[in-house]
Amino acid sequence: MAASFSFSTSFSMFLVLVGMASAQLSSTYYNSSCPNALSTIKSAVNSAVSKELRMGASLLRLHFHDCFVNGCDGSILLDDTSTFTGEKTANPNNGSVRGFDVIDTIKTQVENICPGIVSCADIVAVAARDSVVALGGPSWTVQLGRRDSTTASLSTANTDIPAPTLNLTGLLSAFSKKGFSAKEMVALSGSHTVGQARCTNFRARIYNETNIDTSYASSLKSNCPSTGSDNNLSPLDTTSPTSFDNAYFKDLVSKKGLLHSDQQLYNGGSTDSQVTTYSTSSSTFLTDFSNAMVKMGNLSPLTGSSGQIRTNCRKTN
Ligand code: HEM
Ligand SMILES: *[C@@H]1O[C@H](CO)[C@@H](O)[C@H](O)[C@H]1NC(C)=O
Ligand SMILES: *[C@@H]1O[C@H](CO)[C@@H](O)[C@H](O)[C@H]1NC(C)=O
Ligand SMILES: *[C@@H]1O[C@H](CO)[C@@H](O)[C@H](O)[C@H]1NC(C)=O
Ligand SMILES: *[C@@H]1O[C@H](CO)[C@@H](O)[C@H](O)[C@H]1NC(C)=O
């Protein structure tokens, strides 16, 4: 009797511990259920990035736009249908976010080795890290065990993903809403050391703003006329757009930020000193960036019995 009481008491405590453990992510989540998940994702990312270097930037951004809208839950991957509107046509995403085909390819490969185990949200988180590594940036340990949403929110994508028209106050507030400090906001913005932006997003800056290097502005105008050609691309980091380094911060100090929002980080305000620090210390930037990426990846994950492991990242099961 006493032995059975003690067994059931310990068993209940064990269940409580398991319950607590499942409420948070773990770096070893797939160690026994899908030991080759991480190596499969890494190979696929390396292959996609070697085919097109910009894809590394696109996969990094995909994770950001997933996490800032109700947490890192794969919501951005859901396609619109006749009865469902997802996040893909929200203003910051429409005609702009990329990498869905790469995520599909990875998901197919991972389903082949371990069906129904690895979430789309985790694939996006790991692909973002592997992309940064593939472009020569730092690595970090990705926490795992996110589950996939069964919903998406176009309106939250429109309100919670920061717009390039924001001033420093607006940028600080958009990141503070997700729990990030000013320093973390600046570090995460260093993502713009890779990738491209469309003319429509920097036209007003190169034609109308005064806190921009004059010859830099002139050189951008040839590919971004005052009207039309909205989708023409220019690099966010003018010097090394396919290398994950601290050149973005050097650009800002030289008034060569491409987006209005980029230059806001170095425009006589409270974040100038952090930009200066990152522009002169690559290692400080890379460490702070890695830590902030882990934190971003932990935004409101679905765990336990919430959400699902989608079979196809584009639709709910
Ligand atoms: C600070 C606020 C931010 C604003 C206002 C912003 C805005 C933008 C805009 C407007 C573009 C160009 C999109 C286009 O023209 O199609 C862009 C590109 C990009 N953003 Fe951000 N972003 C911000 C922060 C971030 C963060 C935190 C990350 C990642 C953690 C990120 C990663 C990227 C990357 C990698 C690209 C290039 C994507 C590609 O070439 O496909 N951004 N961002
Ligand atoms: C999980 O797998 C990784 C990579 O194979 C290994 O480095 C780590 O030691 C494993 N951890 C546990 C707790 O099994
Ligand atoms: C998305 O972009 C397409 C192509 O530019 C455009 O036709 C459509 O109206 C946009 N959708 C929304 C919701 O803005
Ligand atoms: C920043 O933008 C907001 C909203 O557009 C505006 O109300 C505020 O005055 C601006 N702040 C500064 C310092 O320009
Ligand atoms: C520049 O500002 C003027 C005056 O506000 C405005 O009429 C014009 O459309 C702006 N140009 C661009 C490219 O944003």
Side-chain angles (χ1 to χ4, degrees):
M1 199 61 186
S4 124
F5 177 76
S6 152
F7 168 78
S8 81
T9 304
S10 329
F11 189 65
S12 310
M13 287 175 64
F14 170 74
L15 286 181
V16 167
L17 288 172
V18 167
M20 287 171 62
S22 71
Q24 59 196 25
L25 307 176
S26 145
S27 62
T28 59
Y29 192 80
Y30 297 115
N31 262 27
S32 50
S33 59
C34 192
N36 292 324
L38 297 191
S39 57
T40 302
I41 299 171
K42 181 167 287 270
S43 303
V45 167
N46 285 343
S47 140
V49 174
S50 62
K51 222 182 281 172
E52 187 206 6
L53 289 170
R54 187 188 173 197
M55 189 51 71
S58 303
L59 292 169
L60 171 59
R61 186 169 183 237
L62 197 57
H63 184 42
F64 167 50
H65 285 205
D66 183 24
C67 295
F68 263 52
V69 183
N70 297 324
C72 314
D73 61 358
S75 57
I76 195 172
L77 305 174
L78 292 172
D79 278 342
D80 287 3
T81 70
S82 57
T83 55
F84 174 85
T85 303
E87 295 164 13
K88 289 184 178 180
T89 60
N91 296 323
N93 294 335
N94 196 21
S96 180
V97 276
R98 312 169 71 243
F100 299 112
D101 295 346
V102 174
I103 299 299
D104 289 343
T105 300
I106 298 173
K107 179 65 177 176
T108 302
Q109 291 178 5
V110 170
E111 283 296 299
N112 283 340
I113 56 170
C114 333
I117 302 290
V118 182
S119 68
C120 298
D122 277 350
I123 290 173
V124 171
V126 174
R129 186 272 314 272
D130 293 344
S131 289
V132 169
V133 172
L135 296 174
S139 190
W140 58 90
T141 301
V142 180
Q143 296 297 112
L144 299 165
R146 299 168 191 79
R147 291 166 63 83
D148 298 321
S149 72
T150 51
T151 57
S153 176
L154 178 130
S155 59
T156 308
N158 280 326
T159 54
D160 288 15
I161 297 172
T165 49
L166 291 179
N167 58 29
L168 179 60
T169 312
L171 293 168
L172 289 168
S173 129
F175 280 77
S176 158
K177 185 175 173 185
K178 305 294 172 184
F180 292 104
S181 65
K183 182 175 171 176
E184 288 166 331
M185 187 273 282
V186 174
L188 288 171
S189 299
S191 294
H192 289 182
T193 188
V194 292
Q196 309 270 324
R198 293 168 302 151
C199 170
T200 187
N201 281 322
F202 58 82
R203 176 181 286 123
R205 169 153 172 77
I206 64 175
Y207 285 95
N208 274 347
E209 296 189 357
T210 51
N211 61 350
I212 187 169
D213 178 88
T214 319
S215 54
Y216 174 62
S218 304
S219 71
L220 290 163
K221 289 175 185 170
S222 57
N223 194 38
C224 182
S226 55
T227 56
S229 306
D230 282 4
N231 294 326
N232 283 6
L233 298 170
S234 285
L236 285 155
D237 165 14
T238 183
T239 65
S240 55
T242 59
S243 295
F244 200 98
D245 55 20
N246 68 339
Y248 167 78
F249 296 105
K250 297 180 185 175
D251 298 336
L252 298 185
V253 169
S254 329
K255 299 190 180 176
K256 292 178 183 171
L258 182 62
L259 304 175
H260 168 80
S261 51
D262 289 326
Q263 199 60 56
Q264 284 294 300
L265 305 183
Y266 190 86
N267 192 40
S270 62
T271 51
D272 281 21
S273 62
Q274 196 60 51
V275 170
T276 303
T277 299
Y278 291 152
S279 75
T280 56
S281 173
S282 160
S283 62
T284 307
F285 163 55
L286 299 175
T287 302
D288 289 356
F289 175 78
S290 301
N291 290 332
M293 285 300 292
V294 172
K295 182 166 168 180
M296 190 179 88
N298 287 341
L299 285 173
S300 312
L302 295 173
T303 56
S305 57
S306 47
Q308 58 181 214
I309 305 298
R310 281 183 220 142
T311 306
N312 175 341
C313 293
R314 293 175 180 269
K315 52 185 198 184
T316 59
N317 294 341

